[in-house]
Amino acid sequence: MRCSKSCRLRWTNYLRPGIKRGNFTHQEEKLIVHLQALLGNRWAAIASYMPERTDNDIKNYWNTHLKRKLKKMSAAADNGPDAAPELKSRAITPKGQWERRLQTDIHTARQALRDALSLDSSTPTRPQPPALVAPFKPTYASSAENIARLLEGWMRPGEGGGKASSGSRSSASVSAEGASASHSGTAPTPDGSTVTSKTEDGRAATAAPALSMLENWLFDDGMGHGGVGLMDVPLGDPSQFF
DNA sequence: AACCTGCTCAACCGCCACAAC
DNA sequence: CGTTGTGGCGGTTGAGCAGGT
Protein backbone atom coordinates (compact mmCIF):
# COMPACT_ATOMS: atom_id res chain seq x y z
CA MET A 1 0.00 0.00 0.00
CA ARG A 2 3.03 2.31 0.09
CA CYS A 3 4.82 3.84 -2.82
CA SER A 4 8.55 4.37 -2.91
CA LYS A 5 8.08 8.03 -2.35
CA SER A 6 6.09 7.47 0.77
CA CYS A 7 8.67 5.03 2.10
CA ARG A 8 11.47 7.42 1.42
CA LEU A 9 9.65 10.18 3.26
CA ARG A 10 8.99 7.93 6.19
CA TRP A 11 12.63 7.00 6.34
CA THR A 12 14.10 10.46 6.00
CA ASN A 13 11.67 12.15 8.32
CA TYR A 14 11.10 9.54 10.94
CA LEU A 15 13.05 6.29 10.79
CA ARG A 16 16.50 7.46 9.79
CA PRO A 17 18.96 6.94 12.65
CA GLY A 18 20.42 9.96 14.33
CA ILE A 19 17.55 12.34 13.96
CA LYS A 20 16.46 14.38 16.92
CA ARG A 21 12.81 15.04 17.38
CA GLY A 22 10.95 17.76 19.17
CA ASN A 23 12.31 20.12 21.81
CA PHE A 24 14.10 22.64 19.69
CA THR A 25 16.65 24.49 21.77
CA HIS A 26 16.83 28.25 21.95
CA GLN A 27 20.05 28.02 19.98
CA GLU A 28 18.43 25.95 17.27
CA GLU A 29 15.55 28.38 17.08
CA LYS A 30 17.87 31.24 16.41
CA LEU A 31 19.86 29.30 13.88
CA ILE A 32 16.67 28.55 12.01
CA VAL A 33 15.63 32.18 12.04
CA HIS A 34 19.03 33.24 10.78
CA LEU A 35 19.13 30.64 8.07
CA GLN A 36 15.57 31.34 7.04
CA ALA A 37 16.45 34.98 6.61
CA LEU A 38 19.49 34.03 4.58
CA LEU A 39 18.08 31.21 2.51
CA GLY A 40 14.36 31.74 2.53
CA ASN A 41 12.06 28.77 2.80
CA ARG A 42 14.68 26.34 1.59
CA TRP A 43 14.17 23.87 4.35
CA ALA A 44 16.41 21.23 2.91
CA ALA A 45 19.25 23.71 2.69
CA ILE A 46 18.56 24.88 6.22
CA ALA A 47 18.39 21.30 7.43
CA SER A 48 21.81 20.63 5.96
CA TYR A 49 23.21 22.84 8.69
CA MET A 50 21.34 20.90 11.35
CA PRO A 51 22.19 17.27 10.70
CA GLU A 52 20.02 16.00 13.50
CA ARG A 53 16.92 17.72 12.20
CA THR A 54 14.89 16.93 9.15
CA ASP A 55 13.71 19.55 6.73
CA ASN A 56 10.14 18.57 7.51
CA ASP A 57 10.74 19.06 11.21
CA ILE A 58 12.28 22.45 10.67
CA LYS A 59 9.51 23.46 8.30
CA ASN A 60 6.86 22.39 10.79
CA TYR A 61 8.61 24.15 13.61
CA TRP A 62 8.86 27.31 11.59
CA ASN A 63 5.24 27.22 10.55
CA THR A 64 3.85 26.38 13.96
CA HIS A 65 6.20 28.03 16.44
CA LEU A 66 8.57 30.52 14.98
CA LYS A 67 6.20 32.31 12.65
CA ARG A 68 3.87 32.93 15.55
CA LYS A 69 6.70 33.84 17.85
CA LEU A 70 8.05 36.42 15.45
CA LYS A 71 4.60 37.77 14.90
CA LYS A 72 4.13 38.05 18.63
CA MET A 73 7.42 39.82 19.00
CA SER A 74 6.55 42.27 16.32
CA ALA A 75 3.28 42.94 18.10
CA ALA A 76 5.16 43.43 21.36
CA ALA A 77 7.46 45.83 19.61
CA ASP A 78 4.43 47.72 18.43
CA ASN A 79 2.77 47.96 21.82
CA GLY A 80 5.45 47.52 24.45
CA PRO A 81 5.29 50.15 27.20
CA ASP A 82 9.04 50.51 27.48
CA ALA A 83 9.77 50.05 23.88
CA ALA A 84 12.81 51.81 22.54
CA PRO A 85 12.19 54.96 20.53
CA GLU A 86 12.78 52.98 17.41
CA LEU A 87 10.14 50.52 18.54
CA LYS A 88 7.82 53.27 19.64
CA SER A 89 8.00 54.77 16.24
CA ARG A 90 6.97 51.40 14.97
CA ALA A 91 4.10 51.35 17.39
CA ILE A 92 2.44 54.14 15.53
CA THR A 93 3.01 52.46 12.24
CA PRO A 94 0.43 50.12 10.90
CA LYS A 95 1.32 46.51 11.47
CA GLY A 96 1.43 45.80 7.78
CA GLN A 97 4.06 48.43 7.40
CA TRP A 98 6.17 46.92 10.13
CA GLU A 99 5.94 43.57 8.47
CA ARG A 100 6.96 45.10 5.19
CA ARG A 101 9.89 46.65 6.96
CA LEU A 102 10.86 43.31 8.40
CA GLN A 103 10.73 41.84 4.95
CA THR A 104 12.87 44.65 3.67
CA ASP A 105 15.38 43.96 6.43
CA ILE A 106 15.50 40.32 5.45
CA HIS A 107 15.85 41.21 1.82
CA THR A 108 18.68 43.54 2.71
CA ALA A 109 20.49 40.79 4.57
CA ARG A 110 20.00 38.44 1.67
CA GLN A 111 21.29 41.02 -0.74
CA ALA A 112 24.37 41.60 1.33
CA LEU A 113 25.00 37.88 1.36
CA ARG A 114 24.45 37.71 -2.35
CA ASP A 115 26.97 40.47 -2.84
CA ALA A 116 29.39 38.55 -0.70
CA LEU A 117 28.85 35.32 -2.56
CA SER A 118 29.17 36.96 -5.91
CA LEU A 119 32.88 37.33 -5.22
CA ASP A 120 33.08 33.60 -5.74
CA SER A 121 32.32 34.11 -9.33
CA SER A 122 35.24 34.02 -11.69
CA THR A 123 33.33 35.96 -14.25
CA PRO A 124 34.74 39.23 -15.49
CA THR A 125 34.35 42.06 -13.08
CA ARG A 126 33.38 44.57 -15.67
CA PRO A 127 30.41 46.38 -14.26
CA GLN A 128 27.16 45.89 -16.04
CA PRO A 129 23.93 47.75 -15.85
CA PRO A 130 21.66 46.07 -13.34
CA ALA A 131 19.14 45.17 -15.97
CA LEU A 132 21.78 43.24 -17.88
CA VAL A 133 23.18 41.33 -14.96
CA ALA A 134 22.31 37.68 -15.22
CA PRO A 135 20.38 36.20 -12.32
CA PHE A 136 22.74 35.23 -9.57
CA LYS A 137 22.94 31.47 -9.31
CA PRO A 138 25.93 30.27 -7.36
CA THR A 139 26.47 26.60 -6.92
CA TYR A 140 25.27 25.32 -3.61
CA ALA A 141 28.69 24.01 -2.79
CA SER A 142 30.14 27.45 -2.86
CA SER A 143 27.25 29.12 -1.15
CA ALA A 144 27.03 26.44 1.51
CA GLU A 145 30.67 26.84 2.24
CA ASN A 146 30.37 30.54 2.53
CA ILE A 147 27.28 30.42 4.65
CA ALA A 148 29.02 27.89 6.84
CA ARG A 149 31.74 30.44 7.34
CA LEU A 150 29.15 32.95 8.33
CA LEU A 151 27.88 30.48 10.85
CA GLU A 152 31.29 29.61 12.22
CA GLY A 153 31.39 30.16 15.91
CA TRP A 154 27.67 30.40 15.96
CA MET A 155 26.98 26.75 15.90
CA ARG A 156 27.91 24.53 18.75
CA PRO A 157 30.88 22.24 18.25
CA GLY A 158 29.92 19.05 16.55
CA GLU A 159 26.80 20.43 15.01
CA GLY A 160 28.09 20.14 11.52
CA GLY A 161 28.88 23.55 10.20
CA GLY A 162 28.73 23.36 6.50
CA LYS A 163 27.73 19.87 5.64
CA ALA A 164 27.05 20.32 2.01
CA SER A 165 23.98 18.50 0.93
CA SER A 166 25.27 16.34 -1.81
CA GLY A 167 23.27 16.18 -4.92
CA SER A 168 20.43 18.23 -3.63
CA ARG A 169 19.15 20.05 -6.60
CA SER A 170 16.67 22.29 -5.01
CA SER A 171 19.29 23.20 -2.48
CA ALA A 172 21.70 23.82 -5.23
CA SER A 173 20.87 27.37 -5.77
CA VAL A 174 20.41 30.14 -3.35
CA SER A 175 17.49 31.93 -4.73
CA ALA A 176 17.98 34.96 -6.80
CA GLU A 177 14.47 36.18 -6.35
CA GLY A 178 14.41 39.88 -6.10
CA ALA A 179 17.97 40.03 -7.28
CA SER A 180 17.12 42.60 -9.82
CA ALA A 181 15.33 44.79 -7.38
CA SER A 182 17.03 47.92 -6.31
CA HIS A 183 19.01 47.24 -3.25
CA SER A 184 21.27 48.80 -0.76
CA GLY A 185 22.86 46.49 1.67
CA THR A 186 22.91 47.61 5.22
CA ALA A 187 22.73 45.48 8.26
CA PRO A 188 22.78 46.28 11.92
CA THR A 189 25.41 44.67 14.05
CA PRO A 190 25.19 43.61 17.65
CA ASP A 191 27.70 46.14 18.77
CA GLY A 192 25.70 48.88 17.20
CA SER A 193 28.19 49.74 14.56
CA THR A 194 26.94 50.79 11.24
CA VAL A 195 27.35 48.43 8.40
CA THR A 196 28.02 49.78 5.02
CA SER A 197 27.60 48.10 1.73
CA LYS A 198 27.29 49.02 -1.84
CA THR A 199 24.27 50.04 -3.71
CA GLU A 200 23.70 48.93 -7.22
CA ASP A 201 25.46 51.92 -8.63
CA GLY A 202 28.48 51.22 -6.53
CA ARG A 203 28.07 53.98 -4.02
CA ALA A 204 28.42 53.16 -0.38
CA ALA A 205 25.30 53.34 1.64
CA THR A 206 25.17 53.68 5.38
CA ALA A 207 22.41 53.43 7.87
CA ALA A 208 22.21 54.03 11.56
CA PRO A 209 21.75 50.85 13.53
CA ALA A 210 18.32 50.20 14.87
CA LEU A 211 17.80 47.04 16.84
CA SER A 212 14.32 45.73 16.91
CA MET A 213 13.09 43.39 19.59
CA LEU A 214 13.41 40.60 17.11
CA GLU A 215 16.98 41.53 16.36
CA ASN A 216 17.81 41.78 20.03
CA TRP A 217 16.33 38.36 20.52
CA LEU A 218 18.52 37.03 17.80
CA PHE A 219 21.59 38.72 19.12
CA ASP A 220 21.43 38.08 22.82
CA ASP A 221 22.84 34.83 24.12
CA GLY A 222 23.02 33.31 20.71
CA MET A 223 26.34 34.99 20.33
CA GLY A 224 27.47 34.06 23.75
CA HIS A 225 29.51 31.06 22.78
CA GLY A 226 32.78 32.86 22.66
CA GLY A 227 32.90 32.77 18.93
CA VAL A 228 32.12 35.28 16.31
CA GLY A 229 28.43 35.67 15.81
CA LEU A 230 26.83 35.56 12.46
CA MET A 231 25.82 39.14 12.64
CA ASP A 232 29.22 40.13 13.91
CA VAL A 233 30.39 39.62 10.42
CA PRO A 234 29.91 42.86 8.56
CA LEU A 235 27.98 41.68 5.60
CA GLY A 236 28.78 44.82 3.75
CA ASP A 237 32.42 43.88 3.48
CA PRO A 238 32.31 40.62 1.61
CA SER A 239 36.00 40.60 0.83
CA GLN A 240 36.76 39.37 4.30
CA PHE A 241 34.94 36.15 3.68
CA PHE A 242 37.39 35.09 1.11
C1' DA B 1 -19.30 13.52 29.96
C1' DA B 2 -19.75 15.98 25.80
C1' DC B 3 -18.35 19.40 22.97
C1' DC B 4 -15.27 22.91 21.13
C1' DT B 5 -10.91 24.92 20.00
C1' DG B 6 -6.20 25.16 19.06
C1' DC B 7 -1.92 22.81 18.35
C1' DT B 8 1.31 19.37 16.57
C1' DC B 9 3.39 16.72 13.16
C1' DA B 10 3.41 12.75 9.94
C1' DA B 11 1.87 12.25 5.59
C1' DC B 12 0.19 13.70 1.27
C1' DC B 13 0.24 16.48 -3.03
C1' DG B 14 1.94 18.82 -6.98
C1' DC B 15 5.80 20.41 -9.14
C1' DC B 16 10.42 20.25 -10.94
C1' DA B 17 14.93 18.34 -12.40
C1' DC B 18 17.47 14.69 -13.84
C1' DA B 19 18.66 10.04 -15.76
C1' DA B 20 17.62 6.29 -18.56
C1' DC B 21 15.68 4.71 -22.58
C1' DC C 1 14.96 14.84 -29.11
C1' DG C 2 10.82 13.23 -26.75
C1' DT C 3 8.97 10.14 -23.20
C1' DT C 4 8.95 7.86 -18.92
C1' DG C 5 10.39 6.84 -14.24
C1' DT C 6 12.24 8.39 -10.08
C1' DG C 7 13.95 11.34 -6.39
C1' DG C 8 13.72 15.56 -3.96
C1' DC C 9 11.56 19.67 -2.55
C1' DG C 10 8.14 23.10 -0.48
C1' DG C 11 3.33 23.81 0.59
C1' DT C 12 -0.60 21.98 2.63
C1' DT C 13 -3.73 18.80 5.00
C1' DG C 14 -5.98 16.27 8.53
C1' DA C 15 -5.90 12.84 12.36
C1' DG C 16 -4.87 12.77 16.99
C1' DC C 17 -4.26 14.97 21.19
C1' DA C 18 -4.63 18.30 25.13
C1' DG C 19 -6.85 21.81 27.43
C1' DG C 20 -10.81 24.66 28.27
C1' DT C 21 -15.84 25.34 28.78
Side-chain angles (χ1 to χ4, degrees), chain A residues 108 183-188 193-199 203-210 236:
Chain A
T108 297
H183 50 274
S184 63
T186 60
S193 63
T194 300
V195 167
T196 303
S197 65
K198 289 181 179 176
T199 60
R203 282 174 298 158
T206 61

Side-chain angles (χ1 to χ4, degrees), chain A residues 59-195:
Chain A
K59 181 172 62 181
N60 280 333
Y61 192 70
W62 173 266
N63 286 329
T64 58
H65 289 85
L66 293 179
K67 248 180 172 175
R68 205 175 336 127
K69 190 168 185 171
L70 297 183
K71 201 174 174 184
K72 225 171 157 183
M73 292 180 102
S74 74
D78 283 345
N79 305 317
D82 51 359
E86 162 68 14
L87 300 181
K88 279 178 182 168
S89 74
R90 283 177 183 175
I92 57 172
T93 4
K95 194 171 178 185
Q97 249 181 317
W98 195 93
E99 283 170 349
R100 274 196 294 278
R101 189 198 155 117
L102 179 61
Q103 281 208 318
T104 303
D105 288 347
I106 290 170
H107 172 74
T108 297
R110 282 185 191 168
Q111 189 54 53
L113 180 69
R114 237 175 255 132
D115 289 344
L117 293 172
S118 68
L119 292 184
D120 268 351
S121 163
S122 58
T123 53
T125 54
R126 191 168 62 88
Q128 299 179 39
L132 300 178
V133 175
F136 174 68
K137 286 206 170 185
T139 64
Y140 182 59
S142 65
S143 57
E145 188 181 332
N146 292 324
I147 293 167
R149 286 188 209 176
L150 287 171
L151 294 170
E152 260 176 39
W154 206 88
M155 299 177 71
R156 285 175 297 191
E159 266 196 345
K163 178 194 133 210
S165 81
S166 58
S168 173
R169 275 175 285 111
S170 293
S171 307
S173 60
V174 171
S175 165
E177 81 257 13
S180 61
S182 89
H183 50 274
S184 63
T186 60
T189 63
D191 60 1
S193 63
T194 300
V195 167

Side-chain angles (χ1 to χ4, degrees), chain A residues 2-17 19 21 54-56:
Chain A
R2 299 286 183 183
C3 64
S4 60
K5 240 177 153 173
S6 181
C7 292
R8 177 194 148 269
L9 209 64
R10 177 72 175 170
W11 170 262
T12 55
N13 288 334
Y14 197 82
L15 298 173
R16 179 168 58 91
I19 56 173
R21 304 164 51 73
T54 69
D55 55 351
N56 207 39

